[in-house]
Amino acid sequence: MQKINNYKIILKYLFVPGLILTVAGLVPIFLTQTQTILYLTLVIVGSVFLFIWLVYLLVTGRSFWQKRSTQIGTNAFISTLSLLTILALINFIAVRYSPRIDLTENQLYTLSLQTQEIIKNLDKPTKVYVFDKEINPRDEDLLENYQRYNDNFKFELVDPDKQVALTQQFNVQSLGDVYLEYEDKKQLVQTLISFNQRETLSEIELTNAIATIQKDYIPKIYVLQGHGEYSLEANPEGSLSEASKSLESKGYEIKTLNIVQNGGIPDDANVIIIASPKRELFDQEVTALQEYSKQGGNLLLLLDPNIDPGLDPILKDWGIKLDNRIVIDGSGAGNIVGLGPTTPFITNYGNHPITEEFTNSISFYPLSRPVDTIEVENVQGTSLLVTSEQMWAESNLDSEEVTFDPQEDISGPFDLGVALTRTIPSETVENQVKEDNKAEAEKTDNNQESSAKNNGDIDNTNKNETEKNNDSPPKETDKVTDSNKDETENSNKSQSEEN
């Protein structure tokens, strides 16, 4: 009888170990998203205990459920089960979405808005391979931060000594190489070890690599030269070297352009930058740029005051009106950082993709001029840099004391930079397409005629040489063969260059 009572006590409280085992198996399955033998065993054993307990309750009859102790126990069981379920869900959500709060002053552990946007837009699997013996915890934290924004982003630490095949597949040259894989493309992002010095993974380098590897083509930017413009080479007097490096890191190809030497504007030009020309352009150059702009080409004009580069026809087409007066910042903000009143500080920006990341930022532009726009059909303008009311455009800089003169000067606010877009008529696009198709057809016809003519010459040569070979030594045949090879190679080379 005593043994039976012991069994009843065990069965009565069998739900306790059953519940513990079941929860102990389910929680890690949800958290790790893996089903190991251990986890499944815990769930199965716990479920069996709970099933036996429920059968025992049914067999004991209704009197069992009417007992006060049973009701209290049942309530406790339901409360415990509910609490454990809630805790399991909280842990699952915390691990799955990993919300984090960056309390550092400069948001050191928060990805930039540009990086967040690029990662969120990843629509195909993208993977980073770190070829190293171990991964820096800070680098791992950065990569995990990327992964939180998109499940398509993955990363893996690869030991080159253990995974030789994968290392050879990426043609790894140095320990610490970080590679990016997107579809069938592979790209070196950064080498973390240089001259026995280890550096951390750069968010800028990685984000630029991700943006670059997704592109199907490389946009080409040409920087106009020949009129005293800023060059792409580093120069103490000013250059575009840093801007060029930044654009190249983002996947753009930067080239210089001399329209006179080149004989025109290249067909693959996506953007032409005219940065601070010191001399006037030739009329033919202005005309070429004007036609390029009318056909949908993009121009970036950076023009200094009191210098006429001769771009008035282009400015007129776009409704741009320049003023040679120098902008003066009367707020005294420049004095705080050691700059004078001729360096306006800008904190007000237009709503445009160019300035969308300038919000709550300060930028300054030494020796600037006001930019005004007039209404032109099919042209839409957006202000980029807007001065404050404490600034004005000064006409007399020779005076010892620069003050606002209502008779000669212009009071702010006004624009220092604008972005203009134009709707191109469909007729212009169709005509351009027809011209391109016609030019391509003419090239193809010329190539075919050239090829046919070359083939005819070869055939005639073969025929004449063969007739001569009846009474000539075999050496002449070798010359005929060489002649065929040269003619064919020249013909193919000509076709290739024309195409």
Side-chain angles (χ1 to χ4, degrees):
M1 183 65 67
Q2 183 66 29
K3 290 184 177 179
I4 294 176
N5 291 332
N6 291 337
Y7 288 139
K8 287 183 178 180
I9 294 174
I10 293 174
L11 292 174
K12 181 179 179 180
Y13 296 102
L14 190 62
F15 75 91
V16 176
L19 184 61
I20 294 175
L21 292 174
T22 303
V23 173
L26 289 177
V27 170
I29 289 177
F30 280 113
L31 294 180
T32 63
Q33 297 294 309
T34 56
Q35 298 180 1
T36 64
I37 296 178
L38 175 61
Y39 300 157
L40 292 176
T41 301
L42 291 174
V43 173
I44 293 173
V45 173
S47 300
V48 170
F49 283 179
L50 290 175
F51 177 76
I52 295 174
W53 175 71
L54 290 173
V55 172
Y56 167 75
L57 295 182
L58 294 175
V59 171
T60 55
R62 295 182 59 184
S63 60
F64 175 83
W65 297 101
Q66 294 175 352
K67 293 180 179 180
R68 181 175 178 80
S69 59
T70 302
Q71 294 176 357
I72 295 175
T74 304
N75 292 335
F77 167 73
I78 295 175
S79 300
T80 304
L81 181 62
S82 301
L83 178 60
L84 291 174
T85 303
I86 292 173
L87 291 175
L89 289 175
I90 292 175
N91 277 277
F92 172 74
I93 294 173
V95 172
R96 179 65 179 82
Y97 297 99
S98 299
R100 302 196 316 171
I101 300 176
D102 188 354
L103 299 177
T104 58
E105 182 178 356
N106 296 322
Q107 298 293 291
L108 298 177
Y109 300 101
T110 301
L111 298 179
S112 67
L113 294 177
Q114 181 184 10
T115 297
Q116 295 179 26
E117 190 68 22
I118 291 175
I119 297 302
K120 287 178 180 178
N121 291 330
L122 280 176
D123 57 353
K124 295 180 181 178
T126 304
K127 192 169 185 178
V128 172
Y129 292 88
V130 181
F131 291 90
D132 206 341
K133 298 292 185 180
E134 58 183 4
I135 189 169
N136 187 320
R138 189 168 179 178
D139 295 343
E140 185 175 16
D141 187 65
L142 176 64
L143 293 171
E144 289 176 349
N145 214 350
Y146 274 76
Q147 193 168 292
R148 289 185 181 93
Y149 286 92
N150 197 321
D151 290 336
N152 282 323
F153 182 90
K154 305 291 182 183
F155 69 93
E156 178 183 347
L157 174 65
V158 179
D159 188 337
D161 294 333
K162 296 180 180 179
Q163 295 177 269
V164 179
L166 186 61
T167 303
Q168 293 177 344
Q169 180 182 345
F170 280 83
N171 192 26
V172 176
Q173 301 296 319
S174 304
L175 188 67
D177 281 356
V178 179
Y179 274 85
L180 182 67
E181 184 180 48
Y182 179 81
E183 294 185 317
D184 59 344
K185 303 177 185 177
K186 297 176 177 62
Q187 179 177 329
L188 176 64
V189 177
Q190 186 180 349
T191 299
L192 301 179
I193 303 175
S194 179
F195 299 103
N196 295 325
Q197 297 293 324
R198 182 178 290 273
E199 58 186 38
T200 58
L201 182 61
S202 168
E203 177 189 341
I204 296 176
E205 297 288 344
L206 180 55
T207 299
N208 289 340
I210 294 173
T212 301
I213 202 171
Q214 295 182 80
K215 295 179 180 178
D216 295 328
Y217 76 103
I218 300 178
K220 292 183 174 59
I221 299 176
Y222 286 86
V223 180
L224 189 66
Q225 299 287 278
H227 319 89
E229 297 92 345
Y230 288 128
S231 68
L232 297 181
E233 304 296 331
N235 192 318
E237 298 181 358
S239 71
L240 298 178
S241 59
E242 292 300 322
S244 174
K245 292 178 183 178
S246 177
L247 289 170
E248 286 176 343
S249 68
K250 290 178 171 61
Y252 296 90
E253 184 176 352
I254 315 297
K255 293 183 176 181
T256 58
L257 171 63
N258 189 312
I259 297 178
V260 175
Q261 292 181 351
N262 192 70
I265 296 176
D267 295 334
D268 61 354
N270 297 106
V271 180
I272 296 178
I273 299 176
I274 305 176
S276 188
K278 302 298 186 293
R279 295 184 295 275
E280 188 173 346
L281 278 68
F282 291 112
D283 293 340
Q284 294 85 346
E285 293 178 295
V286 176
T287 301
L289 290 169
Q290 191 175 17
E291 288 301 317
Y292 168 79
S293 175
K294 288 182 179 179
Q295 298 299 330
N298 301 296
L299 295 174
L300 173 59
L301 306 180
L302 307 173
L303 306 178
D304 294 329
N306 299 314
I307 295 178
D308 182 14
L311 298 174
D312 289 344
I314 298 176
L315 300 178
K316 184 178 180 181
D317 286 345
W318 287 93
I320 301 173
K321 187 177 180 180
L322 300 178
D323 194 297
N324 280 320
R325 282 169 279 205
I326 303 296
V327 176
I328 300 297
D329 189 349
S331 66
N335 298 329
I336 300 177
V337 293
L339 299 174
T342 57
T343 302
F345 276 59
I346 302 300
T347 58
N348 187 13
Y349 306 96
N351 184 18
H352 193 274
I354 294 176
T355 54
E356 64 181 358
E357 295 186 15
F358 282 40
T359 307
N360 298 326
S361 300
I362 298 175
S363 58
F364 54 91
Y365 306 87
L367 298 176
S368 301
R369 57 158 54 163
V371 179
D372 195 9
T373 56
I374 58 178
E375 186 174 348
V376 175
E377 186 178 1
N378 295 327
V379 175
Q380 298 82 38
T382 302
S383 299
L384 297 180
L385 311 170
V386 184
T387 66
S388 67
E389 295 180 352
Q390 295 177 294
M391 300 182 190
W392 72 87
E394 177 66 39
S395 58
N396 182 16
L397 293 176
D398 296 330
S399 175
E400 294 183 0
E401 184 178 355
V402 179
T403 57
F404 176 69
D405 184 354
Q407 303 297 327
E408 300 291 338
D409 303 334
I410 304 175
S411 61
F414 39 73
D415 296 332
L416 298 186
V418 295
L420 300 164
T421 58
R422 175 167 53 196
T423 304
I424 301 176
S426 57
E427 296 82 2
T428 302
V429 178
E430 293 174 358
N431 292 336
Q432 182 65 30
V433 172
K434 289 180 180 179
E435 290 179 3
D436 292 341
N437 292 338
K438 183 179 178 181
E440 188 66 28
E442 290 177 353
K443 284 185 179 181
T444 303
D445 293 340
N446 292 335
N447 290 340
Q448 290 176 351
E449 291 177 3
S450 175
S451 177
K453 182 179 180 181
N454 289 336
N455 291 335
D457 293 341
I458 294 172
D459 291 341
N460 291 335
T461 303
N462 288 338
K463 181 177 180 181
N464 293 335
E465 293 292 343
T466 303
E467 291 176 353
K468 290 179 182 179
N469 286 340
N470 292 331
D471 300 321
S472 302
K475 188 175 181 180
E476 293 295 329
T477 306
D478 295 336
K479 288 185 178 179
V480 173
T481 304
D482 292 339
S483 176
N484 290 340
K485 181 179 178 181
D486 293 340
E487 291 286 348
T488 305
E489 288 179 349
N490 291 336
S491 175
N492 292 338
K493 183 178 180 182
S494 174
Q495 294 178 41
S496 176
E497 291 176 348
E498 290 179 3
N499 288 333

